[in-house]
Amino acid sequence: MSGNTFGRRFQLTTFGESHGPALGGIVDGCPAGLELNEEIIQRELEKRKPGQNPAGTPRKEPDQVKLLSGVFDGKTTGTPIGFQIINTAQRPNDYDRLRNVYRPGHADYTYQTKFGYRDHRGGGRASARETVSRIVGGAVAGQLLKTQGITVLAYTLEIGGIEAEIISPEKACEQPYFTPDPSVIELWNQKIEKIKEKGDSIGGVVEIQARGVQPGLGEPVFDKLDARLAYALMGVGAVKAVEIGAGLESAELTGSQNNDPISRDGFTRNNAGGILGGISSGQIITARATVKPIPSIFLSQKTLNTEGQEVSLQIKGRHDVSAIPRIVPVLKSMVQLTLADMYLLNQGSRL
Amino acid sequence: MSGNTFGRRFQLTTFGESHGPALGGIVDGCPAGLELNEEIIQRELEKRKPGQNPAGTPRKEPDQVKLLSGVFDGKTTGTPIGFQIINTAQRPNDYDRLRNVYRPGHADYTYQTKFGYRDHRGGGRASARETVSRIVGGAVAGQLLKTQGITVLAYTLEIGGIEAEIISPEKACEQPYFTPDPSVIELWNQKIEKIKEKGDSIGGVVEIQARGVQPGLGEPVFDKLDARLAYALMGVGAVKAVEIGAGLESAELTGSQNNDPISRDGFTRNNAGGILGGISSGQIITARATVKPIPSIFLSQKTLNTEGQEVSLQIKGRHDVSAIPRIVPVLKSMVQLTLADMYLLNQGSRL
Amino acid sequence: MSGNTFGRRFQLTTFGESHGPALGGIVDGCPAGLELNEEIIQRELEKRKPGQNPAGTPRKEPDQVKLLSGVFDGKTTGTPIGFQIINTAQRPNDYDRLRNVYRPGHADYTYQTKFGYRDHRGGGRASARETVSRIVGGAVAGQLLKTQGITVLAYTLEIGGIEAEIISPEKACEQPYFTPDPSVIELWNQKIEKIKEKGDSIGGVVEIQARGVQPGLGEPVFDKLDARLAYALMGVGAVKAVEIGAGLESAELTGSQNNDPISRDGFTRNNAGGILGGISSGQIITARATVKPIPSIFLSQKTLNTEGQEVSLQIKGRHDVSAIPRIVPVLKSMVQLTLADMYLLNQGSRL
Amino acid sequence: MSGNTFGRRFQLTTFGESHGPALGGIVDGCPAGLELNEEIIQRELEKRKPGQNPAGTPRKEPDQVKLLSGVFDGKTTGTPIGFQIINTAQRPNDYDRLRNVYRPGHADYTYQTKFGYRDHRGGGRASARETVSRIVGGAVAGQLLKTQGITVLAYTLEIGGIEAEIISPEKACEQPYFTPDPSVIELWNQKIEKIKEKGDSIGGVVEIQARGVQPGLGEPVFDKLDARLAYALMGVGAVKAVEIGAGLESAELTGSQNNDPISRDGFTRNNAGGILGGISSGQIITARATVKPIPSIFLSQKTLNTEGQEVSLQIKGRHDVSAIPRIVPVLKSMVQLTLADMYLLNQGSRL
């Protein structure tokens, strides 16, 4: 209830600030008997690491996960899985200049106003670094889903207005920018270099697919599968829009264009994005998230300090130019967590 | 947890099928001492009634709410507010033809698959009629929010590709189609008549504003205010996309264009839609929902019957051409419910 | 979360005051496909009716339940089951004298202090009449449990210090006072008549057994089955103590006396009350609830009025002398609700 | 929902096995601005340490808590407080003999049956060692409560049938056995030595008082304060009964004896244990927990091995003779956690 727990049956609770001693969390509700591969979790974490393409910062951030409980002889025991990632690259003093100023587009002002007090170092709890715990949880969920034949893919559809085609989404996880379309890499590199030179930043669009989802996941009326996915994805910092299936385009279609006909071989179209009445239909589930440009830019910005005075802010240091591609495994994790939860909630839905 | 409860502190739990004896619900967690005006609730319900413009069906649906508890001498007592709306226009036999067929774009197939059993009459629980209970809950929430100076507006931005300008959103609640731009009414009438003649249907876009929201609502990290709004809106049948603030457009902006500068007089732009780091900033909160065309069309459609045979389906009877405008008060209600909940959850966030 | 919902997967949410228009609730999470017998529900309700022995008031209280949703062709559909019991015997003016005084042992003072406002008529929400909704929920849960071979029995162990022996607990539901020992009826009659003459009231002890519970129900560490049972039973008004298995007596035993040995034929003793480490062991589950004497007595009592002045209160009207036996089906219902919930929560506990 | 989270607004989620690398947890929902004293937390942990009297094992168990997040410059920030206690005394091989046998009175059989798999080492998750995380959470809650003038005391009422008088409960925390009556220490020492010689174990009764609780805590109807306390206390391993106020004795009283009269100076008796209608009345809250004898005894016991064969079990190693006194700070913690949660839930109960 208090904001740091995701899910109801498969639950992830997280803690940790950008520059505190550690981040981590607890996965509760994972069924017993799952062979849990710690290396897969670590590998997912590394997909979030920067430095793999121009969009990332050269900062080194060795994220080593350690499982602390809930696994015995390689299998889950049904008890909570505690984990942590120690912060080795703490440089809290780098942020002293930001202690008394509200960075535009960041959570500085709202945290200060809500809590009357904030850990300003690197964004504290509001830092994107918080998402490492989501990835660990998602990687556990992903291994549970795999036992049910469910796979989740995530890939970049667009960066700074330049779109990719969905050519090979299955291979996107090994490509720069997690692109499903290698032909666009060079264009994205150029775009990002150009923006970087200007000291500005840029956003884009990420798509997530869930394959192999059996019909029946999702709980009407408020906990529809699409509602839970929207909640999961919009809860990731920088996401400003979530679409399911045809999404925004559905406003322009007529019913006869938009309805997916059903044949003996299944649905013959997928405008629904694999969800009807909030329940999975057995088709591929598709969702898209729009990612805003990173608010940390190197151009001068008008803002207030904590005394209420107007100041010009000039951010320094190391910052990504785009939240993409690092946000891609995070969004994938959120879909994995959602599906694992809805999978368990669906147990017992009928006699 | 079981799908029919919305919220954690201000909670709405609902029940009811399209053609059962009654629909209704329970509002739990409403603070004591609120002067609750039952007429305002009834008035909101009537905004959802059809027949006010060509998009609606001529069907008469007298929705009379009755409060059953939780109010004494005109004020809430802090105990649950039970309510019901009796279904007077039950014509379950009208739906006998649909008992054994899956209507495309509807929840028939997924309910049947999930539960092994469904009330097929008028969509049963998956009918849009379910939303009357949301409106009652929203109208209670709205009266609570009013005591805190918060007002929620909802209006139609687009129908079938024809956009309205946001000229007078405050007056939209009295306009046909809840339009903020009376100049577009005639165009929408024509568009809808044309679609109706073809036996097809159409969708659109609705925008919701919350004004007067104090800074501080929203619970990081998973229960960000925008995440809860996305969950609330995407949980309404027919919604396929949710945007906050600049939404989809933010993918095309640079950081310097997207960040909202802060001056002594407050923020000088509102791309954020009033939410930073998942917490309200004191600006107007804006969200948009994309509404798909209604799946009940009068054109012949290919589908399966419950025996698994391919059939051609020809839907008859009375059906709206567009979920807009009737969905508009529903979306407004969901935002009211969300804000009331986040308002209460914010109590005790600091000593 | 807001106090009027019980359970997490099998959820009962209730509403209603003693003298409002109706009481009722919503059962959410009941699996689809359960053949639900409305007469069984009604029959359980009638077990709570007064007038079946000297302990009850002669007041006539026809509690007729009506199901409003969630059932189609006699089977549950997986959607919420709304229900209501209309209050036909409303005599709110009978209570005008109690508007401005705090009855000792009742919730008058605490409701007034917490909510600043209360429905004083017959105790309002704090009236024992609230429990009719628990019985409806429990009777639905009971029918679900029956499909899993689980039966719940409840019987009176003691009234006013006079103990019954556990001779035929299975037949207690048809006996006066729900006694498992008909030899005690006459003694209880005499005791109650004597107390009634004095204008005083009396309490007792109720035991509940759950038979046929498979091993595995209960979620460590906080949601142990015994913890959930204690929560369920102590949440019934008038209950002041809850024991599991040997209960209070276990403080006097040594480990070798208290531990239940295990043989090939199962456990050879049941001090544990069928629960080990918070998880059902397959043995009969036993719990006991201590019920305080009813606070409404006809003797003069010292108390305060709402102005803060000391007054002598002389309660009039119709009141039970003991909450037993009417509380017995309520306690049974709470155990049924708990077990149904834990049964569903246990789904998915292992791969 | 999944059993390892306690509370709804002030939430403690825990993880950890007796012989895993670490135990720990996350406190979520603690208001910002609380000056959190880490030494107080450590001191509470040390009260649970063994070796302070004959009842404890001589085993050395250095429990050093480390806070990992949620505190900045000595004050809570409103974000989750992660913490861990590293297991330094892991001797998992000591338990190899217990891998394939079900110890009577322990959770071995039920964990195995529920999860199909268990960490047998020292009881795994079912070990009393799990309670270190409860104490950390309780010590945070206690510091929050202190800002509201609330103090929680816990003391031993009885060991092995020998009762203490409640002479100086305030000083019990510094006394052997947390006794409120130093005159009984020698008797308890003798009793325990005698039981220890026999290789047997023994139980007792603990009482908890909460002083300074304002009227209004507790949420009717299911989340009454007494219901939540019963849930909290019964969820601690070894507890078999929970009483509030007069508890079991109330079954023997008449209404006129049991009702607490109200005078201008407050209630003149406290049979209610400070709770009326599930809501705190402003009086001292009193609860009692009955603690069963520790199931690990050194006498030979009949049981089954995991192959289903009957065996004689002879437990060796280091074990307490009684869960008292080490359980006393745990029970205190559970009351602190409950009150902190109900305190926050009470925010917003009236306009």
Side-chain angles (χ1 to χ4, degrees):
Chain A
M1 298 308 104
S2 293
N4 295 283
T5 296
F6 184 85
R8 275 86 64 87
R9 281 289 284 110
F10 189 97
Q11 296 189 298
L12 171 67
T13 304
T14 72
F15 70 87
E17 274 85 37
S18 182
H19 287 267
L23 299 106
I26 301 173
V27 174
D28 194 12
C30 186
L34 175 68
E35 290 188 26
L36 195 64
N37 187 327
E38 203 164 338
E39 277 175 45
I40 291 177
I41 303 173
Q42 186 61 40
R43 220 180 300 147
E44 289 297 312
L45 264 181
E46 270 152 33
K47 286 185 188 156
R48 197 194 149 274
K49 271 178 68 175
Q52 296 159 346
N53 51 63
T57 111
R59 187 170 23 157
K60 214 176 142 226
E61 220 179 292
D63 292 333
Q64 185 67 44
V65 67
K66 185 171 184 193
L67 301 189
L68 301 172
S69 65
V71 182
F72 182 58
D73 284 354
K75 280 199 272 186
T76 57
T77 59
T79 61
I81 303 165
F83 64 88
Q84 69 172 19
I85 296 121
I86 292 178
N87 274 329
T88 53
Q90 295 166 252
R91 291 203 235 165
N93 297 338
D94 284 16
Y95 295 90
D96 279 353
R97 287 172 312 105
L98 298 177
R99 183 166 198 139
N100 299 314
V101 72
Y102 301 130
R103 292 168 300 162
H106 276 287
D108 300 348
Y109 173 75
T110 52
Y111 267 68
Q112 183 78 31
T113 312
K114 181 183 183 75
F115 296 116
Y117 198 67
R118 81 193 149 98
D119 179 350
H120 67 283
R121 303 165 303 169
R125 182 67 176 155
S127 165
R129 188 151 173 67
E130 157 263 317
T131 60
V132 293
S133 301
R134 302 185 187 226
I135 288 182
V136 176
V140 176
Q143 295 186 50
L144 172 61
L145 294 173
K146 209 180 158 194
T147 67
Q148 307 301 312
I150 300 172
T151 318
V152 178
L153 308 175
Y155 43 88
T156 304
L157 274 193
E158 185 190 319
I159 296 181
I162 302 168
E163 294 182 29
E165 284 186 68
I166 307 176
I167 295 168
S168 49
E170 301 84 354
K171 293 182 185 156
C173 62
E174 302 155 8
Q175 294 287 343
Y177 302 105
F178 304 111
T179 182
D181 173 7
S183 76
V184 88
I185 296 172
E186 195 44 40
L187 294 170
W188 285 350
N189 279 343
Q190 289 165 12
K191 180 79 184 183
I192 279 167
E193 288 296 353
K194 211 168 124 191
I195 292 290
K196 191 186 276 184
E197 274 165 34
K198 291 190 185 161
D200 215 335
S201 68
I202 208 160
V205 180
V206 175
E207 186 163 281
I208 306 100
Q209 277 188 11
R211 300 181 173 189
V213 179
Q214 63 270 52
L217 304 200
E219 301 300 321
V221 299
F222 296 117
D223 287 328
K224 293 188 168 84
L225 180 52
D226 33 0
R228 296 299 296 181
L229 287 170
Y231 163 67
L233 295 171
M234 195 71 95
V236 176
V239 173
K240 297 301 287 182
V242 176
E243 301 173 89
I244 303 292
L248 235 73
E249 201 196 330
S250 65
E252 322 298 329
L253 302 174
T254 64
S256 59
Q257 292 165 334
N258 186 63
N259 284 352
D260 303 323
I262 324 180
S263 79
R264 207 167 299 154
D265 304 323
F267 295 85
T268 61
R269 205 156 51 197
N270 192 4
N271 281 327
I275 302 171
L276 283 169
I279 301 170
S280 63
S281 67
Q283 288 190 282
I284 293 177
I285 290 171
T286 55
R288 271 181 308 289
T290 298
V291 179
K292 76 173 184 180
I294 276 188
S296 286
I297 56 175
F298 299 103
L299 298 168
S300 172
Q301 298 183 84
K302 286 191 192 309
T303 189
L304 291 186
N305 63 22
T306 54
E307 313 284 285
Q309 296 159 323
E310 297 191 345
V311 293
S312 273
L313 172 69
Q314 182 78 45
I315 293 176
K316 288 172 188 164
R318 309 157 306 181
H319 292 286
D320 293 352
V321 172
S322 171
I324 299 174
R326 296 180 68 195
I327 204 174
V328 175
V330 178
L331 296 172
K332 174 182 159 185
S333 292
M334 293 313 297
V335 170
Q336 289 172 317
L337 287 165
T338 304
L339 290 172
D341 192 40
M342 300 317 272
Y343 162 69
L344 289 177
L345 278 169
N346 190 44
Q347 307 300 308
S349 62
R350 53 198 281 192
L351 276 185
Chain B
M1 298 307 104
S2 292
N4 295 282
T5 296
F6 183 85
R8 277 86 64 85
R9 281 288 284 109
F10 189 98
Q11 295 189 298
L12 172 67
T13 304
T14 72
F15 70 86
E17 275 86 36
S18 182
H19 288 265
L23 299 106
I26 301 173
V27 173
D28 195 12
C30 186
L34 176 67
E35 289 187 27
L36 196 64
N37 187 329
E38 203 164 338
E39 276 175 46
I40 292 177
I41 303 173
Q42 187 60 42
R43 219 179 301 148
E44 289 297 312
L45 265 181
E46 270 151 34
K47 287 186 186 155
R48 197 194 149 272
K49 271 177 69 176
Q52 296 158 344
N53 52 62
T57 111
R59 188 171 20 158
K60 213 175 142 226
E61 220 178 292
D63 292 334
Q64 184 66 44
V65 68
K66 185 172 182 194
L67 302 189
L68 300 171
S69 65
V71 181
F72 182 59
D73 283 354
K75 282 199 270 185
T76 56
T77 59
T79 61
I81 302 165
F83 64 88
Q84 70 173 18
I85 295 121
I86 292 178
N87 275 329
T88 53
Q90 293 167 254
R91 292 202 234 164
N93 296 339
D94 285 14
Y95 295 91
D96 278 356
R97 287 171 311 105
L98 298 177
R99 185 168 195 135
N100 299 313
V101 71
Y102 301 129
R103 291 168 300 162
H106 275 288
D108 300 348
Y109 173 76
T110 52
Y111 267 68
Q112 183 77 31
T113 313
K114 181 182 184 74
F115 296 116
Y117 197 66
R118 81 191 151 99
D119 179 350
H120 67 284
R121 302 166 304 169
R125 181 69 177 153
S127 165
R129 188 148 174 68
E130 156 263 315
T131 59
V132 293
S133 301
R134 302 185 188 226
I135 287 182
V136 176
V140 176
Q143 294 186 49
L144 172 61
L145 293 173
K146 210 181 157 193
T147 67
Q148 306 301 311
I150 300 172
T151 317
V152 178
L153 308 175
Y155 42 88
T156 304
L157 273 192
E158 184 189 321
I159 295 181
I162 302 169
E163 293 183 30
E165 283 187 70
I166 307 175
I167 295 168
S168 49
E170 301 85 354
K171 294 183 186 156
C173 62
E174 303 154 8
Q175 294 287 343
Y177 301 106
F178 303 110
T179 183
D181 173 6
S183 75
V184 88
I185 296 173
E186 196 43 42
L187 295 171
W188 285 350
N189 279 343
Q190 289 166 11
K191 179 79 184 183
I192 280 168
E193 287 296 354
K194 209 167 124 192
I195 292 290
K196 191 186 276 184
E197 273 164 36
K198 289 189 186 163
D200 215 337
S201 68
I202 208 161
V205 180
V206 175
E207 186 162 281
I208 305 100
Q209 278 188 12
R211 300 181 174 190
V213 179
Q214 63 269 51
L217 304 199
E219 301 300 321
V221 298
F222 296 118
D223 288 328
K224 294 187 167 87
L225 180 52
D226 33 1
R228 296 298 296 179
L229 287 170
Y231 164 67
L233 296 171
M234 195 71 96
V236 177
V239 173
K240 297 302 287 181
V242 175
E243 301 173 88
I244 303 292
L248 234 73
E249 201 197 330
S250 65
E252 321 299 328
L253 301 175
T254 64
S256 59
Q257 292 165 333
N258 186 63
N259 285 351
D260 303 322
I262 324 180
S263 79
R264 209 166 299 156
D265 305 321
F267 295 86
T268 60
R269 203 154 55 195
N270 192 3
N271 282 325
I275 302 172
L276 282 169
I279 300 171
S280 63
S281 67
Q283 288 190 281
I284 293 177
I285 290 171
T286 56
R288 271 180 308 288
T290 298
V291 179
K292 75 172 184 180
I294 276 189
S296 284
I297 57 175
F298 298 103
L299 299 169
S300 171
Q301 298 183 86
K302 286 192 193 307
T303 188
L304 291 186
N305 62 22
T306 54
E307 311 285 284
Q309 294 159 324
E310 297 190 346
V311 293
S312 272
L313 171 69
Q314 181 79 44
I315 293 176
K316 288 170 189 163
R318 308 158 303 182
H319 291 287
D320 294 352
V321 172
S322 171
I324 297 174
R326 296 181 67 196
I327 203 173
V328 175
V330 178
L331 296 172
K332 175 182 159 185
S333 292
M334 294 312 297
V335 171
Q336 288 172 318
L337 287 165
T338 304
L339 290 173
D341 193 39
M342 301 316 272
Y343 162 69
L344 288 177
L345 278 169
N346 190 44
Q347 306 301 309
S349 61
R350 52 198 281 191
L351 275 186
Chain C
M1 297 310 107
S2 292
N4 295 282
T5 296
F6 183 85
R8 278 84 65 86
R9 282 288 285 111
F10 189 96
Q11 295 189 298
L12 172 67
T13 304
T14 72
F15 70 87
E17 273 86 36
S18 182
H19 287 266
L23 298 105
I26 301 174
V27 173
D28 195 13
C30 185
L34 175 68
E35 289 186 28
L36 194 64
N37 187 329
E38 204 165 338
E39 276 174 47
I40 292 177
I41 303 174
Q42 186 61 43
R43 217 178 303 149
E44 290 296 314
L45 265 181
E46 271 150 33
K47 287 185 186 155
R48 197 194 147 274
K49 271 177 69 175
Q52 296 159 346
N53 53 62
T57 113
R59 188 169 22 157
K60 212 174 144 226
E61 220 178 294
D63 293 333
Q64 184 66 45
V65 68
K66 185 172 183 193
L67 302 189
L68 300 172
S69 65
V71 181
F72 183 57
D73 284 354
K75 280 199 271 188
T76 56
T77 60
T79 61
I81 302 165
F83 64 87
Q84 69 174 17
I85 295 120
I86 292 179
N87 274 330
T88 52
Q90 295 166 252
R91 292 202 233 165
N93 297 338
D94 285 14
Y95 295 91
D96 279 355
R97 287 173 311 107
L98 299 177
R99 185 168 197 135
N100 299 314
V101 71
Y102 301 129
R103 292 170 299 162
H106 276 287
D108 300 348
Y109 173 75
T110 52
Y111 267 68
Q112 183 78 30
T113 312
K114 181 182 182 73
F115 296 118
Y117 198 66
R118 78 190 154 101
D119 179 350
H120 67 284
R121 302 166 303 170
R125 181 68 176 155
S127 165
R129 186 147 174 68
E130 157 264 317
T131 60
V132 293
S133 302
R134 302 185 187 227
I135 287 182
V136 176
V140 176
Q143 295 187 49
L144 173 62
L145 293 173
K146 207 181 161 194
T147 68
Q148 307 302 311
I150 300 171
T151 316
V152 178
L153 309 174
Y155 43 89
T156 303
L157 274 193
E158 183 189 321
I159 295 182
I162 302 168
E163 293 183 33
E165 282 187 70
I166 307 176
I167 295 167
S168 50
E170 301 84 354
K171 294 183 185 157
C173 61
E174 303 154 8
Q175 294 287 344
Y177 301 105
F178 303 111
T179 182
D181 173 6
S183 75
V184 89
I185 296 174
E186 196 42 42
L187 294 171
W188 285 350
N189 279 342
Q190 290 164 11
K191 178 82 185 180
I192 281 168
E193 288 296 353
K194 208 168 125 191
I195 293 289
K196 193 187 275 185
E197 274 164 35
K198 290 189 186 163
D200 214 335
S201 68
I202 209 161
V205 180
V206 175
E207 184 162 280
I208 306 102
Q209 278 189 10
R211 300 182 173 189
V213 179
Q214 64 269 51
L217 304 201
E219 301 299 321
V221 298
F222 297 116
D223 287 329
K224 294 187 167 85
L225 180 52
D226 33 1
R228 296 299 295 179
L229 287 170
Y231 163 67
L233 296 171
M234 195 72 94
V236 176
V239 174
K240 297 302 287 182
V242 176
E243 300 174 89
I244 303 292
L248 233 74
E249 198 196 330
S250 65
E252 321 299 328
L253 302 175
T254 64
S256 59
Q257 292 164 334
N258 186 63
N259 285 351
D260 303 322
I262 324 180
S263 78
R264 208 167 299 155
D265 304 322
F267 295 85
T268 61
R269 202 155 54 196
N270 193 5
N271 282 326
I275 303 172
L276 283 169
I279 300 171
S280 64
S281 66
Q283 288 189 281
I284 293 178
I285 290 171
T286 56
R288 269 179 310 287
T290 298
V291 179
K292 74 172 185 182
I294 276 190
S296 285
I297 56 175
F298 299 102
L299 299 168
S300 173
Q301 297 182 86
K302 286 192 191 308
T303 187
L304 291 187
N305 64 20
T306 54
E307 312 285 286
Q309 296 159 322
E310 297 191 343
V311 293
S312 272
L313 173 69
Q314 181 78 44
I315 293 177
K316 288 170 188 165
R318 308 158 303 183
H319 291 287
D320 293 352
V321 171
S322 170
I324 297 175
R326 296 181 68 197
I327 203 173
V328 176
V330 178
L331 296 172
K332 174 182 160 186
S333 291
M334 294 313 297
V335 171
Q336 289 171 317
L337 287 165
T338 303
L339 289 173
D341 193 40
M342 300 316 272
Y343 163 69
L344 288 177
L345 278 169
N346 190 43
Q347 306 300 308
S349 62
R350 51 198 282 192
L351 276 186
Chain D
M1 299 311 103
S2 292
N4 296 281
T5 296
F6 183 86
R8 277 85 64 86
R9 281 288 285 110
F10 189 97
Q11 295 188 298
L12 172 67
T13 304
T14 72
F15 70 86
E17 273 85 37
S18 181
H19 288 266
L23 298 107
I26 301 173
V27 174
D28 196 12
C30 186
L34 175 68
E35 289 187 29
L36 195 64
N37 187 329
E38 204 164 337
E39 275 175 48
I40 292 178
I41 303 174
Q42 186 61 42
R43 221 180 300 148
E44 289 297 312
L45 264 180
E46 270 151 34
K47 288 185 186 154
R48 196 193 149 273
K49 271 177 69 175
Q52 296 159 343
N53 52 63
T57 112
R59 188 172 19 157
K60 211 174 144 226
E61 220 178 293
D63 293 332
Q64 184 67 44
V65 67
K66 186 173 181 191
L67 302 189
L68 301 171
S69 64
V71 181
F72 182 57
D73 283 355
K75 281 199 271 187
T76 56
T77 60
T79 61
I81 302 164
F83 64 87
Q84 70 173 17
I85 296 120
I86 292 178
N87 274 330
T88 52
Q90 295 166 251
R91 291 203 232 165
N93 296 338
D94 284 14
Y95 294 91
D96 279 355
R97 287 173 311 105
L98 298 177
R99 183 168 200 137
N100 299 314
V101 71
Y102 301 129
R103 293 168 299 162
H106 276 287
D108 299 349
Y109 173 75
T110 52
Y111 267 68
Q112 183 77 30
T113 313
K114 181 181 182 75
F115 296 117
Y117 198 67
R118 80 190 152 101
D119 179 350
H120 67 284
R121 301 165 306 170
R125 181 66 177 155
S127 165
R129 187 149 174 67
E130 157 264 317
T131 59
V132 293
S133 301
R134 303 185 188 226
I135 288 182
V136 176
V140 176
Q143 295 186 50
L144 173 61
L145 293 173
K146 209 181 157 193
T147 68
Q148 306 302 312
I150 300 171
T151 317
V152 179
L153 309 175
Y155 44 88
T156 303
L157 275 192
E158 183 189 320
I159 295 182
I162 302 167
E163 293 183 31
E165 283 186 70
I166 308 176
I167 295 166
S168 50
E170 302 84 353
K171 293 184 186 155
C173 62
E174 301 154 9
Q175 293 287 343
Y177 302 105
F178 302 111
T179 183
D181 172 8
S183 76
V184 88
I185 297 173
E186 196 43 41
L187 295 170
W188 286 350
N189 279 343
Q190 289 165 10
K191 178 81 183 180
I192 280 167
E193 288 295 354
K194 208 167 126 193
I195 292 289
K196 192 187 275 185
E197 272 165 36
K198 291 190 186 161
D200 215 336
S201 67
I202 209 162
V205 180
V206 175
E207 185 163 279
I208 306 101
Q209 278 188 11
R211 301 182 172 189
V213 179
Q214 64 268 54
L217 303 200
E219 302 298 322
V221 297
F222 297 117
D223 287 328
K224 293 187 168 85
L225 180 52
D226 33 0
R228 296 298 297 179
L229 286 170
Y231 163 67
L233 295 171
M234 195 71 95
V236 176
V239 173
K240 298 302 286 181
V242 176
E243 300 173 90
I244 303 292
L248 236 73
E249 200 197 329
S250 64
E252 321 298 329
L253 301 176
T254 63
S256 59
Q257 292 165 333
N258 187 63
N259 284 352
D260 303 322
I262 324 180
S263 77
R264 208 167 298 153
D265 304 322
F267 295 86
T268 60
R269 202 153 57 195
N270 192 4
N271 282 326
I275 302 172
L276 283 169
I279 300 171
S280 63
S281 67
Q283 287 190 282
I284 292 178
I285 290 170
T286 55
R288 271 180 308 287
T290 298
V291 179
K292 74 173 185 181
I294 277 189
S296 285
I297 56 175
F298 299 103
L299 299 167
S300 173
Q301 297 182 87
K302 285 192 192 307
T303 187
L304 292 186
N305 64 21
T306 55
E307 313 283 286
Q309 296 159 323
E310 297 190 346
V311 294
S312 273
L313 172 68
Q314 182 78 45
I315 293 176
K316 288 170 188 165
R318 309 158 304 182
H319 292 286
D320 293 353
V321 172
S322 171
I324 297 174
R326 297 181 67 196
I327 204 173
V328 176
V330 178
L331 296 172
K332 174 183 160 186
S333 292
M334 294 313 296
V335 171
Q336 289 171 316
L337 286 164
T338 303
L339 289 173
D341 194 38
M342 301 316 273
Y343 162 68
L344 288 177
L345 278 168
N346 189 42
Q347 307 300 309
S349 63
R350 53 198 281 192
L351 276 185

